[in-house]
Amino acid sequence: MIADLLHSGRKRKPEPGISDWLTAWHIDLPLLFLLVAVASIGLVVQYSASGHSMDAVWSQTQRIALGLFAMFAVAQAPPDVYRAVAPWAYALTCVLLVLVLVLGDTAKGAQRWLDFGVLRFQPSELMKLAMPMTAAAFLHHRRLPPSLFTIGLTLIIIGLPAGLIIDQPDLGTALLVLTSGGFALFFAGLQWRWILGSLGAAAAAAPLLWERLHDYQRQRILTLLDPESDPLGTGYHITQSKIAIGSGGIFGKGWMHGTQANLDFLPEAHTDFIFAVFAEEMGLLSVLLLLTLYMAIVGRCLWIALRAQDTFQRLLCGSLALTFFIYVFINVGMVIGLLPVVGVPLPLVSYGGTSAVSLLACFGMMMSVHTHRKLLTK
Amino acid sequence: MIFGSRRRRDALKNVHAERDTFTGRAVAAVLFCMVCIVLLVMRLVDLQVVEHAYFSTRADENRMRVTPVAPVRGLIYDRNGTVLAQNQPAFVLEITPEQVKDMDALLARLARIVTISEADIERFKDRARKTPRYRGVPLRNNLSMEEVARYEIRRHEFPGVEVTAGLSRNYPLSTSAAHVVGYVGGITEEELQKVEERAYQGINQIGKVGVERSQEDELRGAPGAKIIEANAYGRPLRELDYRRGYPGRNAYLSLDAKVQLVAEEALGELNGAVVALDPRNGEVIALVSKPGFDPHYFVEGISSADYKTLLNDPSRPLFNRALQGTYPPGSTIKPAMALSGLEFNAVDSQHREFCRGQMSLPGSSRKYRCWKRSGHGWVDMHTAVMRSCDIYFYQLAMTLGIDRMHEAMTGFGLGHLTGIDLPLEKAGVYPSREWKQRTRRENWYPGETLSVGIGQGYTNVTPLQLAQMTARIAMRGLGFVPHVLHSTEDPITKEVRTIESESLPKVVLKNESDWETVISAMQDVVHTQSGTAYRIGRDAPYRIAAKTGTAQVVGLKQDEAAPKEHEIPLRFRDHALFIAFAPAEAPTIAVAVIAEHGSHGGSTAGPVARKVMDQYLLGKVLYDEPAPITVPAPTPRPRATPGPTESTE
């Protein structure tokens, strides 16, 4: 019905084309194309990074497929549904986060997982979706630019789950949840003085935060400053990753010919450090292409946000787009030794289930926003 | 509720403002992303372009392992090109511990198809502890073809077990030339500290004795390298580069394998030594020490039980009698003694002594006897040498005095190192006043001069020294440092380096024609019926100059246990000595033979020398054994000391 509405507003076409069909199914073709392109590159790199394991590629393909299905499913519902659902999703995820702390599985020294027998997932991953939705939905109803009171309330909404995630402890995800909420606030028109002020305050609070960090977290930051100081310990990841990337050069060593990755010098080659494998084997030119694809995704999302029809949609899309960018930036920054080692996967490329599915669901929301536009008179 | 619609009015009111705000923020966001991306790209360019070379090197250092490769050891040939030491393909059974679940069970199953001793297992486990688990550890060397075949058929049953082909040192002459060619064995920790470790990278064997040891630096070659790609755990994956080592130089010895074998065989059941030199340059033609030993035991790594057996063998097979055995030379020194008298002008060749069969020194009642109790009557130098008259040489010794004897006889090469290019040579003793004072802190007694005059007393020389003395007489005074290495050859460029013979100061007589007096007497030893070894020269198509000798083995050291009664006759049997050179007029071979407990020089040691000369000069053994030498098998003997001088033949 909505498709009909859209259709009627457009110039008459002699026959329903592919774009009409796509619109009817709420698919944004450019975005879909970009996402599939990045995911395909990911699968190719995955094969080499996982030690030529077709199993790994196949299982990652299944996850991407599941993610795309989730994306289509999410895209079918109009954005208003998500605005309505947001508070409930938020509340439910917070409950799950509390549950994780109480009875979660422990993996690599941190409690992040909930095991429901069939389904085993990280609720913090869910919060990456719920947070921008909730923040956008909340701000949608407020008078903007936000008053001090609104800002305060928003910060509480953002801070509660972030605190729960920090306790797991999972600093990386907590920061991402914080940022995604923060971006909603930013797009809502948070005054520059508050932005600059809080950045200054954060800088001032850094020493306090330092005290609160776990030893391994501190070590990661120290290692970033001088990776060679501990070449076999924490610095090993960064050193080997830099060697991999640097030795790749402009044209790379060739697919499956990366010695750093294939000879196991590079740790976490198919997960967090997969970008190093890509850079080693494909070289700088391909890296620039991949970054361009990522930027195109961000750009398309911002464009969708600009054309969105209400504040919730704009804030949601803007926040998701920037969060996605932050994912890429933190992962690449970490792998090339610009940022400390935090467990952030490279979106759509790193091996991992929950991340790919939740990420693609986000893009489903953006497609929903873009394809459910009602024609309004200006 | 905060998410409610109470403020919808306000929100609607701000729709346009909010959109404008959002647009502004979106632009800011794009700028922010741009800045971030530029940061990333700058860093990437820095890593992948600016520092690319540095990181490439680092990546290669990560994955490449340089493994040294042992060079091929030089071969050893005799003067005719017969191989004395070579490298043979050998099959080694290796096990990679990492791939084996139950090592003991595997070893038990393997033992059913391949011979595996307790010692093998012990050595294997010891090595396995010191080697990374992914690397193969040898269990057995030198598998036989049957063993390899049995393994190959059932190899699928033995995961982690591998048979690899390598090179193993092999000595075709085995026991017969073991003392001179020597052998290689595993480098010990001690040896490794003495050598330059770089030169031994990848090499696990080193020359232990003989030419293998003395020519170690020539034979070894330079190690090569294999560049192997390994993963982060050090597991080698594939070979990237292979640089061959430079093979060691081949060594051509002056040794004649046929002569060597003839000499060894001619000694028969007797223990002893044979040294044959080319008098014209000091080249060693044969160097035999009997009994020999199988050098291959050492190449493969001798078990401690086998080593003990060899060490405790009473006939001392590991002892190189030719270089290390010191014996009283007995009458074999008489020609040189005569020449010493001439050299110092103490006598002339016409000088005569009357032999009554015995004599005594003035003021002493002790009798010094000639071996011929009835006496030789009037003897001149020629007769004295030919018939080996002791009285003549007692008198000559008295005339010369021990110090002049020492000077002259050491000039012939006795009692000091010859400097041969083989390890572990012994100096022996040719006594002097000074020597006795130094080693025993005693004065010299005139009677001792007499003993030394007939090659007894304190005189102890090696068979090699006797051969060198013989060679010098043969060359009428010219002497050379004996050497076994003739030349070395680069196996690739074929460049040959020939060893220069090193000449020694000539022995000069006042009257050079006197050489012929002594040499003709030596010829008469074997070519006239009144000579002491007449049978030896029989039917010889060339002239031989020779001298027999008998070294008495009497008396025991004070601290030695008294021997069992029934052993006495055997252990006290005299050593038989024989020196010879031929052809007498233009000698090309000089031989010294010692047959331990062989009784009479002429009858046991003589035939050995004759056969050696036949083989060398004629290419075949012409000499016909008059009667088989029957000597009981050697039995344990304590180290004999020369007893009181009484007689030599």
Side-chain angles (χ1 to χ4, degrees), chain A residues 141 186 190 239-240 245-247 249 260 263-265 279 284 295 311 314 336, chain B residues 3-4 7 18 22 25 37 43-44 47-48 52 58 62-63 231-233 237:
Chain A
H141 298 291
F186 166 76
L190 180 65
T239 306
Q240 294 302 334
I245 297 166
S247 64
Q260 286 289 100
L263 303 178
D264 299 330
F265 289 103
L284 180 63
M295 285 304 282
T311 304
R314 271 193 295 270
I336 64 180
Chain B
F3 288 97
R7 288 182 177 264
E18 281 177 24
F22 182 85
R25 291 300 160 103
I37 283 291
R43 174 71 167 184
L44 281 162
L47 289 176
Q48 298 198 286
H52 169 64
R58 291 282 304 267
N62 263 347
R63 72 193 172 103
N231 68 8
Y233 313 108
L237 301 174

mmCIF file of all heavy atoms in Angstrom, chain A residues 141 186 190 239-240 245-247 249 260 263-265 279 284 295 311 314 336, chain B residues 3-4 7 18 22 25 37 43-44 47-48 52 58 62-63 231-233 237:
data_model
loop_
_atom_site.group_PDB
_atom_site.id
_atom_site.type_symbol
_atom_site.label_atom_id
_atom_site.label_comp_id
_atom_site.label_asym_id
_atom_site.label_seq_id
_atom_site.Cartn_x
_atom_site.Cartn_y
_atom_site.Cartn_z
ATOM 1 N N HIS A 141 11.025 13.211 20.960
ATOM 2 C CA HIS A 141 9.921 13.830 21.658
ATOM 3 C C HIS A 141 10.318 15.093 22.388
ATOM 4 O O HIS A 141 9.471 15.779 22.903
ATOM 5 C CB HIS A 141 9.323 12.827 22.658
ATOM 6 C CG HIS A 141 8.767 11.616 21.998
ATOM 7 N ND1 HIS A 141 7.632 11.637 21.207
ATOM 8 C CD2 HIS A 141 9.204 10.326 21.982
ATOM 9 C CE1 HIS A 141 7.395 10.427 20.743
ATOM 10 N NE2 HIS A 141 8.348 9.608 21.204
ATOM 11 N N PHE A 186 24.478 14.347 19.587
ATOM 12 C CA PHE A 186 25.213 15.269 18.722
ATOM 13 C C PHE A 186 24.339 15.712 17.556
ATOM 14 O O PHE A 186 24.217 16.903 17.257
ATOM 15 C CB PHE A 186 26.485 14.580 18.209
ATOM 16 C CG PHE A 186 27.167 15.258 17.062
ATOM 17 C CD1 PHE A 186 27.922 16.421 17.267
ATOM 18 C CD2 PHE A 186 27.052 14.758 15.766
ATOM 19 C CE1 PHE A 186 28.550 17.044 16.210
ATOM 20 C CE2 PHE A 186 27.676 15.381 14.706
ATOM 21 C CZ PHE A 186 28.440 16.530 14.920
ATOM 22 N N LEU A 190 23.160 19.011 20.138
ATOM 23 C CA LEU A 190 23.858 19.307 21.393
ATOM 24 C C LEU A 190 24.803 20.471 21.150
ATOM 25 O O LEU A 190 25.587 20.475 20.195
ATOM 26 C CB LEU A 190 24.654 18.057 21.838
ATOM 27 C CG LEU A 190 25.443 18.187 23.139
ATOM 28 C CD1 LEU A 190 24.495 18.385 24.322
ATOM 29 C CD2 LEU A 190 26.323 16.964 23.343
ATOM 30 N N THR A 239 53.054 -5.404 16.902
ATOM 31 C CA THR A 239 54.284 -5.522 16.112
ATOM 32 C C THR A 239 54.051 -6.388 14.891
ATOM 33 O O THR A 239 54.392 -6.015 13.765
ATOM 34 C CB THR A 239 55.397 -6.113 16.990
ATOM 35 O OG1 THR A 239 55.527 -5.331 18.155
ATOM 36 C CG2 THR A 239 56.704 -6.131 16.238
ATOM 37 N N GLN A 240 53.486 -7.554 15.107
ATOM 38 C CA GLN A 240 53.271 -8.482 13.988
ATOM 39 C C GLN A 240 52.292 -7.897 12.978
ATOM 40 O O GLN A 240 52.438 -8.084 11.774
ATOM 41 C CB GLN A 240 52.757 -9.834 14.491
ATOM 42 C CG GLN A 240 53.756 -10.584 15.339
ATOM 43 C CD GLN A 240 55.066 -10.855 14.608
ATOM 44 O OE1 GLN A 240 55.116 -10.928 13.382
ATOM 45 N NE2 GLN A 240 56.148 -10.966 15.358
ATOM 46 N N ILE A 245 51.242 -5.465 7.644
ATOM 47 C CA ILE A 245 50.748 -4.382 6.794
ATOM 48 C C ILE A 245 51.895 -3.748 6.010
ATOM 49 O O ILE A 245 51.820 -3.587 4.791
ATOM 50 C CB ILE A 245 50.027 -3.321 7.648
ATOM 51 C CG1 ILE A 245 48.801 -3.951 8.306
ATOM 52 C CG2 ILE A 245 49.633 -2.122 6.803
ATOM 53 C CD1 ILE A 245 48.209 -3.137 9.414
ATOM 54 N N GLY A 246 52.963 -3.426 6.728
ATOM 55 C CA GLY A 246 54.093 -2.766 6.086
ATOM 56 C C GLY A 246 54.707 -3.606 4.979
ATOM 57 O O GLY A 246 55.057 -3.101 3.910
ATOM 58 N N SER A 247 54.823 -4.900 5.222
ATOM 59 C CA SER A 247 55.459 -5.751 4.222
ATOM 60 C C SER A 247 54.551 -5.957 3.019
ATOM 61 O O SER A 247 55.007 -6.420 1.976
ATOM 62 C CB SER A 247 55.859 -7.094 4.835
ATOM 63 O OG SER A 247 54.721 -7.811 5.253
ATOM 64 N N GLY A 249 53.110 -3.625 1.295
ATOM 65 C CA GLY A 249 53.461 -2.632 0.285
ATOM 66 C C GLY A 249 52.250 -2.117 -0.479
ATOM 67 O O GLY A 249 51.116 -2.228 -0.018
ATOM 68 N N GLN A 260 52.882 -13.430 6.955
ATOM 69 C CA GLN A 260 52.578 -13.145 8.350
ATOM 70 C C GLN A 260 51.311 -13.876 8.797
ATOM 71 O O GLN A 260 51.245 -14.413 9.880
ATOM 72 C CB GLN A 260 52.387 -11.638 8.548
ATOM 73 C CG GLN A 260 53.657 -10.855 8.514
ATOM 74 C CD GLN A 260 54.488 -11.104 9.747
ATOM 75 O OE1 GLN A 260 55.438 -11.872 9.725
ATOM 76 N NE2 GLN A 260 54.127 -10.479 10.850
ATOM 77 N N LEU A 263 51.572 -18.022 8.102
ATOM 78 C CA LEU A 263 52.524 -18.751 8.939
ATOM 79 C C LEU A 263 52.263 -18.492 10.420
ATOM 80 O O LEU A 263 53.121 -18.745 11.262
ATOM 81 C CB LEU A 263 53.955 -18.373 8.570
ATOM 82 C CG LEU A 263 54.330 -18.593 7.105
ATOM 83 C CD1 LEU A 263 55.742 -18.133 6.844
ATOM 84 C CD2 LEU A 263 54.196 -20.068 6.758
ATOM 85 N N ASP A 264 51.093 -17.959 10.701
ATOM 86 C CA ASP A 264 50.640 -17.804 12.090
ATOM 87 C C ASP A 264 51.403 -16.779 12.908
ATOM 88 O O ASP A 264 51.363 -16.819 14.133
ATOM 89 C CB ASP A 264 50.687 -19.156 12.838
ATOM 90 C CG ASP A 264 49.774 -20.169 12.184
ATOM 91 O OD1 ASP A 264 48.767 -19.734 11.604
ATOM 92 O OD2 ASP A 264 50.079 -21.352 12.236
ATOM 93 N N PHE A 265 52.134 -15.894 12.245
ATOM 94 C CA PHE A 265 52.802 -14.861 13.036
ATOM 95 C C PHE A 265 51.792 -13.833 13.532
ATOM 96 O O PHE A 265 51.971 -13.224 14.567
ATOM 97 C CB PHE A 265 53.890 -14.161 12.213
ATOM 98 C CG PHE A 265 55.069 -15.037 11.960
ATOM 99 C CD1 PHE A 265 55.250 -15.637 10.738
ATOM 100 C CD2 PHE A 265 55.973 -15.294 12.975
ATOM 101 C CE1 PHE A 265 56.329 -16.476 10.517
ATOM 102 C CE2 PHE A 265 57.055 -16.134 12.767
ATOM 103 C CZ PHE A 265 57.223 -16.726 11.542
ATOM 104 N N ALA A 279 45.581 -6.130 4.223
ATOM 105 C CA ALA A 279 46.603 -5.159 3.820
ATOM 106 C C ALA A 279 47.874 -5.857 3.358
ATOM 107 O O ALA A 279 48.538 -5.407 2.429
ATOM 108 C CB ALA A 279 46.919 -4.219 4.980
ATOM 109 N N LEU A 284 48.290 -1.612 -0.457
ATOM 110 C CA LEU A 284 47.702 -0.307 -0.135
ATOM 111 C C LEU A 284 46.540 0.057 -1.046
ATOM 112 O O LEU A 284 45.526 0.581 -0.595
ATOM 113 C CB LEU A 284 48.798 0.772 -0.217
ATOM 114 C CG LEU A 284 48.365 2.205 0.082
ATOM 115 C CD1 LEU A 284 47.878 2.323 1.523
ATOM 116 C CD2 LEU A 284 49.502 3.188 -0.163
ATOM 117 N N MET A 295 33.516 4.193 3.385
ATOM 118 C CA MET A 295 33.101 5.593 3.383
ATOM 119 C C MET A 295 31.815 5.777 2.579
ATOM 120 O O MET A 295 30.949 6.579 2.938
ATOM 121 C CB MET A 295 34.218 6.481 2.800
ATOM 122 C CG MET A 295 35.387 6.699 3.730
ATOM 123 S SD MET A 295 34.881 7.400 5.317
ATOM 124 C CE MET A 295 34.638 9.113 4.864
ATOM 125 N N THR A 311 12.502 13.446 13.129
ATOM 126 C CA THR A 311 13.696 13.551 13.952
ATOM 127 C C THR A 311 14.210 12.187 14.378
ATOM 128 O O THR A 311 15.406 11.913 14.350
ATOM 129 C CB THR A 311 13.397 14.408 15.194
ATOM 130 O OG1 THR A 311 12.909 15.648 14.725
ATOM 131 C CG2 THR A 311 14.648 14.618 16.018
ATOM 132 N N ARG A 314 16.048 10.610 11.488
ATOM 133 C CA ARG A 314 17.314 11.293 11.223
ATOM 134 C C ARG A 314 18.360 10.925 12.276
ATOM 135 O O ARG A 314 19.481 10.545 11.969
ATOM 136 C CB ARG A 314 17.101 12.811 11.235
ATOM 137 C CG ARG A 314 16.720 13.398 9.897
ATOM 138 C CD ARG A 314 16.847 14.902 9.919
ATOM 139 N NE ARG A 314 15.915 15.535 10.831
ATOM 140 C CZ ARG A 314 14.683 15.933 10.489
ATOM 141 N NH1 ARG A 314 14.255 15.748 9.261
ATOM 142 N NH2 ARG A 314 13.905 16.495 11.355
ATOM 143 N N ILE A 336 46.605 -0.876 12.746
ATOM 144 C CA ILE A 336 47.793 -0.192 12.231
ATOM 145 C C ILE A 336 48.564 0.515 13.347
ATOM 146 O O ILE A 336 49.529 1.230 13.081
ATOM 147 C CB ILE A 336 47.452 0.805 11.101
ATOM 148 C CG1 ILE A 336 46.580 1.936 11.623
ATOM 149 C CG2 ILE A 336 46.786 0.104 9.939
ATOM 150 C CD1 ILE A 336 46.216 2.942 10.548
ATOM 151 N N PHE B 3 8.738 9.055 26.931
ATOM 152 C CA PHE B 3 8.681 8.801 25.499
ATOM 153 C C PHE B 3 7.312 9.177 24.923
ATOM 154 O O PHE B 3 7.024 8.946 23.781
ATOM 155 C CB PHE B 3 8.938 7.319 25.199
ATOM 156 C CG PHE B 3 10.360 6.973 25.429
ATOM 157 C CD1 PHE B 3 10.785 6.401 26.619
ATOM 158 C CD2 PHE B 3 11.299 7.239 24.430
ATOM 159 C CE1 PHE B 3 12.100 6.094 26.817
ATOM 160 C CE2 PHE B 3 12.613 6.917 24.636
ATOM 161 C CZ PHE B 3 13.031 6.343 25.826
ATOM 162 N N GLY B 4 6.433 9.765 25.772
ATOM 163 C CA GLY B 4 5.046 10.058 25.391
ATOM 164 C C GLY B 4 4.913 11.201 24.390
ATOM 165 O O GLY B 4 5.913 11.721 23.873
ATOM 166 N N ARG B 7 4.763 16.405 24.295
ATOM 167 C CA ARG B 7 5.516 17.518 23.731
ATOM 168 C C ARG B 7 5.503 17.518 22.210
ATOM 169 O O ARG B 7 6.311 18.173 21.576
ATOM 170 C CB ARG B 7 6.954 17.481 24.233
ATOM 171 C CG ARG B 7 7.010 17.879 25.690
ATOM 172 C CD ARG B 7 8.415 17.884 26.188
ATOM 173 N NE ARG B 7 8.407 18.334 27.565
ATOM 174 C CZ ARG B 7 8.634 19.600 27.903
ATOM 175 N NH1 ARG B 7 8.853 20.497 26.990
ATOM 176 N NH2 ARG B 7 8.611 19.949 29.182
ATOM 177 N N GLU B 18 14.987 21.766 13.361
ATOM 178 C CA GLU B 18 15.701 20.521 13.681
ATOM 179 C C GLU B 18 16.375 19.950 12.453
ATOM 180 O O GLU B 18 17.487 19.455 12.500
ATOM 181 C CB GLU B 18 14.732 19.484 14.268
ATOM 182 C CG GLU B 18 14.432 19.757 15.732
ATOM 183 C CD GLU B 18 13.418 18.783 16.302
ATOM 184 O OE1 GLU B 18 13.280 17.664 15.755
ATOM 185 O OE2 GLU B 18 12.761 19.151 17.289
ATOM 186 N N PHE B 22 20.227 19.357 11.949
ATOM 187 C CA PHE B 22 20.749 18.042 11.571
ATOM 188 C C PHE B 22 21.675 18.147 10.364
ATOM 189 O O PHE B 22 22.746 17.548 10.341
ATOM 190 C CB PHE B 22 19.605 17.070 11.258
ATOM 191 C CG PHE B 22 20.111 15.704 10.924
ATOM 192 C CD1 PHE B 22 20.398 14.789 11.932
ATOM 193 C CD2 PHE B 22 20.345 15.319 9.600
ATOM 194 C CE1 PHE B 22 20.884 13.542 11.630
ATOM 195 C CE2 PHE B 22 20.844 14.071 9.291
ATOM 196 C CZ PHE B 22 21.109 13.168 10.313
ATOM 197 N N ARG B 25 24.936 19.382 11.412
ATOM 198 C CA ARG B 25 25.678 18.341 12.142
ATOM 199 C C ARG B 25 26.199 17.253 11.199
ATOM 200 O O ARG B 25 27.273 16.702 11.395
ATOM 201 C CB ARG B 25 24.788 17.710 13.221
ATOM 202 C CG ARG B 25 24.491 18.675 14.355
ATOM 203 C CD ARG B 25 25.815 19.103 15.026
ATOM 204 N NE ARG B 25 25.665 20.325 15.774
ATOM 205 C CZ ARG B 25 25.568 20.338 17.119
ATOM 206 N NH1 ARG B 25 25.579 19.228 17.808
ATOM 207 N NH2 ARG B 25 25.456 21.488 17.746
ATOM 208 N N ILE B 37 39.727 9.436 8.399
ATOM 209 C CA ILE B 37 40.197 8.631 7.268
ATOM 210 C C ILE B 37 41.577 9.105 6.811
ATOM 211 O O ILE B 37 42.459 8.296 6.515
ATOM 212 C CB ILE B 37 39.172 8.695 6.105
ATOM 213 C CG1 ILE B 37 37.974 7.796 6.429
ATOM 214 C CG2 ILE B 37 39.804 8.303 4.797
ATOM 215 C CD1 ILE B 37 38.270 6.320 6.413
ATOM 216 N N ARG B 43 48.798 7.012 7.959
ATOM 217 C CA ARG B 43 49.510 5.955 8.683
ATOM 218 C C ARG B 43 49.760 4.759 7.753
ATOM 219 O O ARG B 43 50.842 4.157 7.779
ATOM 220 C CB ARG B 43 48.660 5.546 9.887
ATOM 221 C CG ARG B 43 49.192 4.363 10.638
ATOM 222 C CD ARG B 43 50.460 4.703 11.411
ATOM 223 N NE ARG B 43 50.785 3.651 12.345
ATOM 224 C CZ ARG B 43 51.776 3.678 13.210
ATOM 225 N NH1 ARG B 43 52.554 4.742 13.251
ATOM 226 N NH2 ARG B 43 51.990 2.689 14.019
ATOM 227 N N LEU B 44 48.757 4.420 6.957
ATOM 228 C CA LEU B 44 48.914 3.281 6.045
ATOM 229 C C LEU B 44 50.007 3.542 5.015
ATOM 230 O O LEU B 44 50.804 2.655 4.703
ATOM 231 C CB LEU B 44 47.580 2.986 5.343
ATOM 232 C CG LEU B 44 46.575 2.205 6.196
ATOM 233 C CD1 LEU B 44 45.171 2.324 5.626
ATOM 234 C CD2 LEU B 44 46.989 0.747 6.314
ATOM 235 N N LEU B 47 53.285 3.088 6.657
ATOM 236 C CA LEU B 47 53.649 1.676 6.850
ATOM 237 C C LEU B 47 53.949 0.982 5.527
ATOM 238 O O LEU B 47 54.932 0.268 5.395
ATOM 239 C CB LEU B 47 52.517 0.920 7.559
ATOM 240 C CG LEU B 47 52.260 1.222 9.034
ATOM 241 C CD1 LEU B 47 51.040 0.440 9.518
ATOM 242 C CD2 LEU B 47 53.465 0.856 9.874
ATOM 243 N N GLN B 48 53.071 1.186 4.563
ATOM 244 C CA GLN B 48 53.135 0.360 3.360
ATOM 245 C C GLN B 48 54.015 0.926 2.260
ATOM 246 O O GLN B 48 54.395 0.206 1.356
ATOM 247 C CB GLN B 48 51.720 0.118 2.802
ATOM 248 C CG GLN B 48 50.860 -0.643 3.803
ATOM 249 C CD GLN B 48 49.663 -1.275 3.164
ATOM 250 O OE1 GLN B 48 48.722 -0.570 2.818
ATOM 251 N NE2 GLN B 48 49.685 -2.592 2.997
ATOM 252 N N HIS B 52 58.025 0.334 3.908
ATOM 253 C CA HIS B 52 57.766 -0.981 3.328
ATOM 254 C C HIS B 52 58.997 -1.895 3.375
ATOM 255 O O HIS B 52 58.913 -3.060 3.760
ATOM 256 C CB HIS B 52 57.278 -0.822 1.888
ATOM 257 C CG HIS B 52 57.230 -2.102 1.128
ATOM 258 N ND1 HIS B 52 56.389 -3.133 1.500
ATOM 259 C CD2 HIS B 52 57.909 -2.543 0.034
ATOM 260 C CE1 HIS B 52 56.561 -4.151 0.674
ATOM 261 N NE2 HIS B 52 57.469 -3.829 -0.226
ATOM 262 N N ARG B 58 61.591 -7.349 8.094
ATOM 263 C CA ARG B 58 61.112 -7.929 9.354
ATOM 264 C C ARG B 58 60.269 -9.174 9.106
ATOM 265 O O ARG B 58 60.373 -10.174 9.821
ATOM 266 C CB ARG B 58 60.279 -6.904 10.139
ATOM 267 C CG ARG B 58 61.052 -5.739 10.711
ATOM 268 C CD ARG B 58 61.817 -6.092 11.978
ATOM 269 N NE ARG B 58 60.983 -6.635 13.041
ATOM 270 C CZ ARG B 58 60.436 -5.916 14.004
ATOM 271 N NH1 ARG B 58 60.608 -4.624 14.047
ATOM 272 N NH2 ARG B 58 59.718 -6.495 14.947
ATOM 273 N N ASN B 62 61.113 -13.027 10.203
ATOM 274 C CA ASN B 62 60.149 -13.831 10.949
ATOM 275 C C ASN B 62 60.092 -15.252 10.446
ATOM 276 O O ASN B 62 60.109 -16.200 11.204
ATOM 277 C CB ASN B 62 58.740 -13.235 10.785
ATOM 278 C CG ASN B 62 58.360 -12.353 11.936
ATOM 279 O OD1 ASN B 62 59.020 -12.352 12.969
ATOM 280 N ND2 ASN B 62 57.301 -11.603 11.771
ATOM 281 N N ARG B 63 60.036 -15.382 9.109
ATOM 282 C CA ARG B 63 59.663 -16.687 8.576
ATOM 283 C C ARG B 63 60.849 -17.512 8.123
ATOM 284 O O ARG B 63 60.727 -18.702 7.924
ATOM 285 C CB ARG B 63 58.684 -16.510 7.415
ATOM 286 C CG ARG B 63 59.324 -15.963 6.164
ATOM 287 C CD ARG B 63 58.299 -15.500 5.164
ATOM 288 N NE ARG B 63 58.955 -14.813 4.087
ATOM 289 C CZ ARG B 63 59.170 -15.352 2.907
ATOM 290 N NH1 ARG B 63 58.761 -16.566 2.647
ATOM 291 N NH2 ARG B 63 59.789 -14.665 1.966
ATOM 292 N N ASN B 231 56.950 -21.491 10.319
ATOM 293 C CA ASN B 231 55.827 -20.696 10.832
ATOM 294 C C ASN B 231 56.166 -20.152 12.217
ATOM 295 O O ASN B 231 57.281 -20.310 12.706
ATOM 296 C CB ASN B 231 54.534 -21.513 10.834
ATOM 297 C CG ASN B 231 54.565 -22.658 11.839
ATOM 298 O OD1 ASN B 231 55.494 -22.751 12.640
ATOM 299 N ND2 ASN B 231 53.583 -23.504 11.794
ATOM 300 N N ALA B 232 55.161 -19.509 12.824
ATOM 301 C CA ALA B 232 55.416 -18.822 14.089
ATOM 302 C C ALA B 232 55.875 -19.786 15.174
ATOM 303 O O ALA B 232 56.519 -19.386 16.125
ATOM 304 C CB ALA B 232 54.165 -18.082 14.550
ATOM 305 N N TYR B 233 55.567 -21.088 15.021
ATOM 306 C CA TYR B 233 55.963 -22.050 16.044
ATOM 307 C C TYR B 233 57.296 -22.698 15.710
ATOM 308 O O TYR B 233 57.713 -23.637 16.361
ATOM 309 C CB TYR B 233 54.871 -23.114 16.199
ATOM 310 C CG TYR B 233 53.506 -22.495 16.282
ATOM 311 C CD1 TYR B 233 52.611 -22.587 15.233
ATOM 312 C CD2 TYR B 233 53.144 -21.747 17.402
ATOM 313 C CE1 TYR B 233 51.373 -21.973 15.297
ATOM 314 C CE2 TYR B 233 51.918 -21.129 17.472
ATOM 315 C CZ TYR B 233 51.030 -21.250 16.418
ATOM 316 O OH TYR B 233 49.835 -20.627 16.486
ATOM 317 N N LEU B 237 58.440 -25.429 6.998
ATOM 318 C CA LEU B 237 57.362 -25.742 6.060
ATOM 319 C C LEU B 237 57.885 -26.067 4.670
ATOM 320 O O LEU B 237 57.440 -26.995 4.039
ATOM 321 C CB LEU B 237 56.376 -24.576 5.995
ATOM 322 C CG LEU B 237 55.727 -24.220 7.338
ATOM 323 C CD1 LEU B 237 54.886 -22.978 7.201
ATOM 324 C CD2 LEU B 237 54.865 -25.372 7.842
#
